[in-house]
Amino acid sequence: MRLIKKNRSFILLLLFALGLGLFLSGQGKVAAIPKEDYESLETFTNILAIVKKNYVDEVNTKEMITGAINGMLNSMDPHSAYLTPELYKELQMDTQGRFGGLGIEITVRNGILTVVSPIEDTPAFKAGVKAGDQILKIEDEFTKDMTIMQAVKKMRGPKGSKINLSIKREGASDLLNFSIVRDTIRVQSVRSRMLEEGYAYIRLAQFQERSDRDLQRALEKLSSEKGGIKGLVLDLRNNPGGLLTQAVRVADLFLDSGLIVYTEGRSDNQKQKYFARKEGSWTDIPIVALVNGGSASASEIVAGALQDHKRAVILGTKTFGKGSVQTILPLDDNSALRLTTARYYTPKGRSIQATGIVPDIIMENVPVQETKAEEKKRLGLREENLPGHLQNQQEQKEKEKSTQQDREDNIENDAQLKRALELLKGWDVFKQLVQKKAA
């Protein structure tokens, strides 16, 4: 018992971690823990004392405790993590839509660091990183057994600094190496435009603190344009998620009543149900929602709710399948725990954990560029294929000029978006036929 007295502070720290669930239920102190847990803590403190005394190099106790906490959380699931004061501050900046780094959402899938999705117009997105890419190396360090927070820490850095990633991509025989320059990431949560008169497009890139208000303003602006809104394409592709409360509020804009999502956890306060309210809803607009493998978490909540209520046609490919809820629990030293505390379910009781949302219409998005590449291959070698060939400067300028325009205005290069618009037009024709028959 002598060792336990000498290391009482370490025991208290671990008692806090083991008794965290009691704080989630609103209790102000940790209750007595089972005898076997106390004996395990005694073993831990004994090992700590032995290591401190006998390890070949002098050890830092604080680093050892942090490593023990990280190991404990990482053994439970890939999304629970200990956030140092620095990481906690960055997380708070993330939800506000401004942070430093590469611009990718990552997770651990089957023990491998995997890209959920790159965020639009960020260094990772521009470099060509894609959803589903497996990050095998960061600089010269292999990512095997690396936690999400360790990977995030390594990929964050000052604006203008470079980082090298080695990526394995499905369908590629060799590793892909990316040299990416870090930047300050400013995510514009909502983008909107008219595809054609009466047919609106809204891209929701991430669920931040103001996403619902930005979406409401976008809808009001589009509805005031000529023709109003006869149909809406809601683009949730490569949206890695964000705040649960924002997912609920976004879904609420399109539903006048009913359950949006519910969560189930061990403690009573993690068993929550979120319902739609009638006020301020856009409930009479036909909607096609676009999703893909990069649509995760909060995106899946919205897609699942709209699908279960038959409020929208979901088009694209199966979503990522992150159906767990993480709660941020601040600690006294400005650090925090990000702890998985519940699973969420769609209104019809579907858990999407590891299964994702299956679209009503399954459709891959094959870029036109791939077709052009195949055509070039068929036609054989051309001047443009020769190494070191002279560039057509006029063509290059026109290409740069049209890149942004293609992204904003031209839907010919986006097969899923084009199909969504066709569905909305057909929806409107069908509605007119029904009204004529009724008359």
Side-chain angles (χ1 to χ4, degrees), residues 4 44 48 52 94 214 275 317 337 361 401 408 417:
I4 293 177
F44 174 82
L48 178 65
K52 282 176 64 66
D94 288 356
D214 291 343
F275 292 90
T317 56
L337 287 181
I361 300 174
K401 184 179 179 181
E408 295 296 331
L417 179 56

Side-chain angles (χ1 to χ4, degrees), residues 322-336:
K322 182 182 176 294
S324 60
V325 180
Q326 283 68 49
T327 302
I328 305 299
L329 300 153
L331 303 177
D332 290 339
D333 63 347
N334 294 321
S335 64

Side-chain angles (χ1 to χ4, degrees), residues 149-180:
M149 298 317 298
Q150 288 170 338
V152 167
K153 189 173 182 179
K154 290 181 182 298
M155 289 191 283
R156 295 280 170 97
K159 176 181 178 180
S161 60
K162 286 186 178 181
I163 184 170
N164 297 308
L165 303 180
S166 296
I167 283 175
K168 180 181 179 182
R169 179 174 295 167
E170 185 178 357
S173 56
D174 299 322
L175 283 182
L176 305 177
N177 295 307
F178 292 86
S179 181
I180 306 175

Side-chain angles (χ1 to χ4, degrees), residues 78-79 91 94-95 99 101-108 112-120 122 124-125 129-135 148-149 151-152 155-156 165 185 187 205-207 238-243 293-299 320 322 326 338:
H79 303 293
L91 178 67
D94 288 356
T95 61
F99 55 94
L102 304 180
I104 52 175
E105 178 80 8
I106 57 174
T107 189
V108 174
I112 302 174
L113 196 67
T114 304
V115 176
V116 176
S117 68
I119 301 170
E120 283 187 1
T122 62
F125 180 88
V129 176
K130 295 183 178 181
D133 283 351
Q134 297 177 336
I135 304 175
I148 292 176
M149 298 317 298
V152 167
M155 289 191 283
R156 295 280 170 97
L165 303 180
I185 311 300
V187 180
Q206 203 173 38
F207 290 84
N238 293 325
N239 182 323
L243 299 174
S295 307
S297 190
S299 301
F320 185 80
K322 182 182 176 294
Q326 283 68 49
R338 184 174 72 180

Side-chain angles (χ1 to χ4, degrees), residues 419-436:
R419 178 61 176 143
L421 180 58
E422 291 171 353
L423 285 170
L424 289 173
K425 287 181 175 180
W427 196 328
D428 192 45
V429 170
F430 175 75
K431 185 176 177 181
Q432 290 176 10
L433 289 173
V434 171
Q435 289 174 341
K436 287 179 179 178

